[in-house]
Amino acid sequence: MRRAGYWLLVSVIAAYLLFPFYYAVVTSLKGGSDIFRVDYWPAAFDFSNYGRVFTEQPFARNIANSLIVAGGSVLVAMALGLAAAFALGRVRFRGRASLLLTILAVSMFPQVAVLSGMFELVRGLGLYGGLAGLVLSYTVFTLPFTVWVLTSFIRELPVEIEEAAIMDGARTWTLMTRIFLPLLWPAMASTGLLTFIVAWNEFLFALTFTLSNQQRTVPVAIALMTGGSEFELPWGNIMAGSVVVTLPLILLVLVFQRRLVSGLTAGAIKG
Amino acid sequence: MAGVRFEGVHKRFGGVEVLRGIDLEIADGEFVVFVGPSGCGKSTLLRLIAGLETASAGDIWIGDDRVTETEPARRGVAMVFQSYALYPHMSVYRNIAFGLTLARTGGEEIDARVRRVAAMLEIDGLLDRRPRELSGGQRQRVAIARAIVREPRVFLFDEPLSNLDAALRVQTRIEIARMHRRMGVTMVYVTHDQVEAMTLADRLVVLHEGRVEQAGRPVDLYRRPDNLFVAGFLGSPRMNLLPAATPIGLPDAALPRGAHTVGVRPEDLQLAGEGTAATVELVEELGEARIVHLALGDGTPLAVRHLPESAPAVGDAVRFGVDPASVHFFDRAGLRLGGGAAVR
Ligand SMILES: Nc1ncnc2c1ncn2[C@@H]1O[C@H](COP(=O)(O)OP(=O)(O)OP(=O)(O)O)[C@@H](O)[C@H]1O
Ligand SMILES: [Mg+2]
């Protein structure tokens, strides 16, 4: 009885979470005006929307842009985050605690509040209209969280392990790459994945800092899809595009699932 | 191989002076044990030799090299940490080899040295395991192997046995003593455990509040403590320390001028048919002996180590005797005035 109740609850939650995505899949498989009829089961399997989404706009290019931007943000955030976390977690210096708090506070500003400032920054650096500007702004937004998580992980690591490595002749670079990096790998996988997802889905900066369809990332490309006339939205294409770009995320999460869980909980238990 | 020398070493953490002028010479090949109460600076002193801390003042020498500012890896010292501090993500083999790899030793030489040390510590069957797949005793051996493989001039141990159970602790203690005999290398060892300290040390250094209270052969410190602190610190059960005027049956002539405190070890007192009267307060059974806690007429407590099987019962009125030659005397400042059994 209790098991039945448990499974019922799980199914309700799963259904609630998955329904929007499921409905997008169903809709993407419909052709023509069928789209405007409400169906809960796929009636036909019409893949023409998937073909059109790639032919009517540079959608492959948009996906590549998204991959570059999200991947670049992850790399930059990981490299800077690890170095910053090492300093904040291990090096004793004046104002360390307040610096850490400031970093956390930065990540709490709403995006719109920093939009104009970020715009000036991106333009001032000559990055306006390119992917590098997006990498920069996503890094600014995701780095604080990365630094915070990695710092708390580094603080959990016993100092004696580092001291043993120092006695063995390790310098800072060796410490980072041969001791910290492998030990922090679970934490890096989870923060990296979150950075990737944020960068992949981000809309506001991506809309503001790019000019042409060739430079757009996926969320903006989907939102700006236009149909045959001004008053017509190509819902089939939009749904097909959404499904296509969600799949990589699902795959990533499945691949990293165990890392993700161990990364988010590992700090709680001492091994 | 090399000795270690401290010259007027001070260490401050912020405003707190943790080491207050350490002058100490450790001879080449000597086994020196630091003991002292928690927080007295034992680990700090060890970490200064290792180079994990730098002295606020004074100099440290290893062999003929002044190493006060030398970085840890260039001092030729190796350290075994209390928590073992093995690299969790590396196999036992790579744990042992790590230092050699960083020193760019050749691959074949690394392999030969790792295997030789592993065989010596009987961990050659575990080389492919990760540290989390080892028992506490095995981790300890890996930690020691990692220290040995670098062939250091000086070995440092910071309470290496405190995470082991009692049986394993005794066994490992004996192995460390054996290792010292065989390698003849200088070892500096920190412990809380009196038995470890007494049995392992060629020379015992008693630290207290950042100063050396006394250094010497364990038996000398035990028999002729320089001051009240050492007298009270070494020995279990503790030496009885009483005001000089306490009537415990000492002839007046035995009391030196200026004596303020007398000290008698529990094993130097005997329950006998004659002597000073006292009441039994508590009897502790140790197996091979009993600690009988007495109260003198005025209530002063006194512990006696009692060997015979037939122990008095709580509340009994007993008498005890003392050999005047075994009594220690200390002046008002706590310094030794003389007395105590001569060292054989
Ligand atoms: N990094 C540090 N910063 C500030 N104070 C420190 C630091 N390391 C040690 N201390 C202080 O120095 C004193 C001596 O510490 P130390 O670790 O040498 O003691 P210990 O004799 O090894 O004690 P225990 O037997 O408990 O290990 C302690 O009061 C400790 O609080
Ligand atoms: Mg200590």
Side-chain angles (χ1 to χ4, degrees):
Chain A
M1 187 54 217
R2 284 193 44 188
R3 282 189 72 81
Y6 168 77
W7 284 111
L8 187 69
L9 189 65
V10 168
S11 336
V12 168
I13 294 174
Y16 174 71
L17 294 176
L18 289 178
F19 180 75
F21 185 65
Y22 171 76
Y23 198 72
V25 173
V26 170
T27 310
S28 72
L29 293 173
K30 292 181 189 173
S33 58
D34 280 355
I35 281 189
F36 299 101
R37 204 182 59 231
V38 178
D39 280 314
Y40 294 109
W41 305 107
F45 289 93
D46 178 352
F47 286 94
S48 60
N49 289 326
Y50 287 87
R52 267 202 315 265
V53 77
F54 284 100
T55 48
E56 290 180 1
Q57 58 259 314
F59 199 60
R61 176 65 192 260
N62 297 142
I63 291 180
N65 288 345
S66 271
L67 282 175
I68 293 170
V69 170
S73 307
V74 170
L75 286 182
V76 178
M78 287 300 109
L80 292 181
L82 186 63
F86 173 74
L88 289 165
R90 282 295 190 256
V91 185
R92 260 176 268 165
F93 56 89
R94 192 184 294 265
R96 181 168 72 163
S98 42
L99 184 59
L100 204 52
L101 275 178
T102 314
I103 288 176
L104 195 66
V106 165
S107 65
M108 291 173 185
F109 278 100
Q111 246 185 324
V112 202
V114 292
L115 185 63
S116 57
M118 194 74 87
F119 183 81
E120 291 298 328
L121 183 67
V122 167
R123 212 179 44 178
L125 292 172
L127 300 175
Y128 181 66
L131 298 181
L134 290 183
V135 172
L136 176 77
S137 48
Y138 295 167
T139 307
V140 168
F141 244 80
T142 54
L143 198 52
F145 178 72
T146 307
V147 170
W148 185 266
V149 171
L150 292 184
T151 303
S152 50
F153 266 76
I154 284 189
R155 287 195 173 162
E156 295 264 315
L157 292 180
V159 185
E160 290 192 345
I161 291 182
E162 260 163 272
E163 290 180 339
I166 291 172
M167 302 280 305
D168 267 344
R171 305 282 180 81
T172 308
W173 178 248
T174 315
L175 271 183
M176 299 266 271
T177 53
R178 311 255 316 248
I179 304 291
F180 280 126
L181 201 60
L183 290 179
L184 291 178
W185 171 236
M188 304 210 25
S190 26
T191 50
L193 192 56
L194 290 175
T195 302
F196 191 91
I197 293 173
V198 167
W200 186 266
N201 289 334
E202 203 282 336
F203 181 76
L204 187 60
F205 290 165
L207 176 68
T208 317
F209 298 155
T210 52
L211 292 169
S212 75
N213 232 343
Q214 292 290 329
Q215 300 163 335
R216 285 190 181 124
T217 56
V218 163
V220 184
I222 291 178
L224 298 186
M225 276 180 192
T226 46
S229 79
E230 218 182 313
F231 307 104
E232 186 187 351
L233 275 178
W235 283 113
N237 292 7
I238 290 177
M239 289 303 161
S242 310
V243 171
V244 167
V245 302
T246 312
L247 286 178
L249 289 193
I250 293 177
L251 281 180
L252 264 181
V253 172
L254 287 182
V255 168
F256 283 103
Q257 187 193 26
R258 289 192 46 203
R259 293 275 184 205
L260 195 63
V261 173
S262 69
L264 291 176
T265 57
I269 322 141
K270 278 203 170 157
Chain B
M1 300 242 291
V4 178
R5 197 161 82 241
F6 291 92
E7 286 175 356
V9 170
H10 288 253
K11 177 65 187 175
R12 270 180 294 276
F13 286 113
V16 188
E17 186 150 38
V18 169
L19 295 179
R20 308 157 181 233
I22 303 284
D23 289 284
L24 185 68
E25 185 143 10
I26 298 170
D28 186 11
E30 205 173 22
F31 199 127
V32 167
V33 176
F34 293 158
V35 288
S38 194
C40 67
K42 306 181 292 292
S43 299
T44 307
L45 203 52
L46 206 65
R47 292 165 59 82
L48 280 169
I49 305 178
L52 293 171
E53 307 282 357
T54 42
S56 311
D59 273 320
I60 300 169
W61 295 72
I62 297 179
D64 297 327
D65 310 318
R66 186 178 157 275
V67 296
T68 317
E69 288 97 20
T70 311
E71 61 178 283
R74 292 182 190 277
R75 295 187 178 201
V77 301
M79 180 147 164
V80 176
F81 294 85
Q82 178 175 355
S83 65
Y84 315 141
L86 300 178
Y87 311 121
H89 55 296
M90 298 185 193
S91 66
V92 168
Y93 183 96
R94 290 220 296 134
N95 259 282
I96 301 176
F98 190 63
L100 298 178
T101 320
L102 292 187
R104 302 196 187 287
T105 315
E108 278 174 23
E109 194 194 334
I110 292 182
D111 196 61
R113 277 165 74 173
V114 170
R115 289 184 193 285
R116 195 173 65 230
V117 169
M120 182 171 143
L121 286 161
E122 293 164 23
I123 48 172
D124 30 2
L126 308 173
L127 288 176
D128 294 328
R129 301 236 195 127
R130 293 287 174 91
R132 66 166 171 276
E133 298 159 355
L134 303 177
S135 72
Q138 291 168 333
R139 288 181 203 182
Q140 176 68 55
R141 285 159 182 279
V142 176
I144 293 177
R146 183 173 65 180
I148 292 182
V149 79
R150 290 175 43 221
E151 297 173 2
R153 301 190 286 175
V154 180
F155 261 106
L156 308 174
F157 295 89
D158 195 353
E159 307 196 29
L161 307 185
S162 56
N163 286 341
L164 301 180
D165 66 47
L168 206 50
R169 204 179 310 176
V170 173
Q171 184 192 334
T172 316
R173 188 178 85 208
I174 292 170
E175 273 172 39
I176 290 179
R178 217 175 266 151
M179 206 168 84
H180 178 245
R181 296 276 171 289
R182 184 171 31 182
M183 303 200 303
V185 63
T186 314
M187 291 191 178
V188 187
Y189 191 106
V190 168
T191 182
H192 267 118
D193 186 313
Q194 295 236 353
V195 185
E196 261 172 51
M198 298 294 290
T199 53
L200 285 173
D202 292 330
R203 207 145 57 92
L204 200 55
V205 178
V206 179
L207 293 169
H208 177 45
E209 293 181 348
R211 286 201 187 85
V212 175
E213 291 285 347
Q214 193 177 356
R217 291 196 306 156
V219 62
D220 292 340
L221 265 61
Y222 190 80
R223 297 260 172 79
R224 301 179 62 83
D226 270 353
N227 53 49
L228 269 180
F229 180 79
V230 177
F233 186 76
L234 291 180
S236 173
R238 261 170 67 98
M239 182 189 281
N240 297 297
L241 295 170
L242 311 163
T246 314
I248 55 166
L250 285 177
D252 281 348
L255 215 62
R257 260 172 57 89
H260 186 257
T261 309
V262 295
V264 199
R265 294 208 182 270
E267 65 263 31
D268 292 329
L269 291 168
Q270 297 86 34
L271 295 185
E274 56 196 46
T276 316
T279 318
V280 177
E281 293 256 283
L282 179 72
V283 180
E284 286 181 301
E285 180 63 59
L286 297 183
E288 88 282 7
R290 279 137 291 276
I291 308 300
V292 181
H293 295 270
L294 304 177
L296 300 184
D298 60 355
T300 311
L302 193 74
V304 177
R305 189 175 163 94
H306 185 65
L307 287 174
E309 290 289 341
S310 60
V314 172
D316 282 2
V318 292
R319 288 177 179 279
F320 67 89
V322 57
D323 173 8
S326 67
V327 179
H328 309 262
F329 302 98
F330 301 95
D331 66 14
R332 186 171 294 274
L335 296 179
R336 173 179 199 80
L337 280 175
V343 178
R344 283 176 283 269

